[in-house]
Amino acid sequence: MQVLDLSPVGLFLSVGLVGKAVMAVLFVASLWCWVLIVEGIVAVVRMRRALRSTREGGETAKALAGVLAAGEAEAHRRIPGETVSEVRARIADGMARAAREILTRAEGGLPNLAVISSVAPFVGLFGTVWGIMSSFAAISQANDTSLATVAPGIAESLAATAYGLAAAIPASIGYNRIGAAFARLGQEMASFVEERAIGLISRPAEVAREASQRRRSEAP
């Protein structure tokens, strides 16, 4: 009696050419999914550490350098007749734009996770349908409906389904969890922008002194 190897490698080797192509695509998608998940987690952790360090008065993190530079540039720009609230709004808007650009770059892999989570089950379903079609073809050729005749096709279809779920489930969980983490990070970033905007307009003398020092250092 031939024993069917149910390991991923054994199932891959036992299926036909179409089944191998489907499983190969889903395997690559699964690996890519985990790479994107790790990149997203690292990006969230790095940004949170940068925010915490900057809020606690530590050294400005490189990840937030663009946000702080945008705020300082707006604070040093003077528009005649502008009120304090308008200055604060302009500084906050400039920093918010820089913050959105940083967050957009950091969460660049999320759309790909969404694609994997939505497409992988259908790719696996295609393999499932193909395996069932192979079973019916085997029955037609052998004129036999025994389990030995249909088992290879059924195994191929179920293996394709399993590969599709193995790619789609982590991608779906990663997309939702990392997306929620980035949403919370966006709220924390917005609070940081407001705090820094208020701090910049409440210390005009210090801002002017820093601008003067920077101009002297940049002078030839």
Side-chain angles (χ1 to χ4, degrees):
M1 179 180 177
Q2 184 180 1
V3 179
L4 182 63
D5 186 1
L6 296 179
S7 65
V9 176
L11 290 173
F12 178 81
L13 296 176
S14 64
V15 300
L17 183 60
V18 174
K20 283 184 172 67
V22 170
M23 291 182 184
V25 169
L26 292 174
F27 179 74
V28 172
S30 179
L31 291 181
W32 189 24
C33 157
W34 284 107
V35 171
L36 295 175
I37 289 174
V38 172
E39 287 181 351
I41 293 173
V42 171
V44 170
V45 172
R46 183 183 295 118
M47 291 297 298
R48 281 182 174 170
R49 286 179 178 175
L51 274 174
R52 183 168 58 251
S53 174
T54 305
R55 277 181 161 176
E56 292 175 354
E59 183 179 357
T60 301
K62 183 179 180 181
L64 296 178
V67 178
L68 299 179
E72 291 180 0
E74 293 294 337
H76 295 144
R77 186 160 62 94
R78 291 292 179 261
I79 298 177
E82 197 174 30
T83 64
V84 174
S85 62
E86 290 173 343
V87 174
R88 183 194 62 79
R90 178 165 52 80
I91 294 173
D93 289 341
M95 296 179 69
R97 286 193 297 270
R100 284 194 296 269
E101 292 177 0
I102 292 173
L103 289 176
T104 299
R105 289 195 300 268
E107 63 185 13
L110 280 181
N112 294 325
L113 280 178
V115 170
I116 294 174
S117 65
S118 59
V119 173
F122 293 101
V123 176
L125 181 60
F126 171 77
T128 302
V129 173
W130 188 267
I132 295 174
M133 290 172 57
S134 300
S135 296
F136 283 114
I139 292 174
S140 175
Q141 292 175 359
N143 291 323
D144 184 10
T145 58
S146 65
L147 184 60
T149 303
V150 300
I154 297 298
E156 178 177 350
S157 64
L158 295 179
T161 303
Y163 271 70
L165 294 177
I169 291 175
S172 179
I173 295 175
Y175 174 77
N176 286 284
R177 298 298 298 175
I178 296 175
F182 270 112
R184 291 193 297 270
L185 184 61
Q187 295 175 354
E188 295 175 7
M189 187 75 77
S191 299
F192 169 76
V193 166
E194 290 293 332
E195 293 171 2
R196 186 51 60 99
I198 294 173
L200 286 174
I201 64 173
S202 63
R203 294 177 297 176
E206 182 177 346
V207 171
R209 184 169 59 254
E210 291 177 355
S212 177
Q213 292 175 355
R214 186 169 63 256
R215 285 194 295 269
R216 286 198 299 270
S217 64
E218 293 176 352

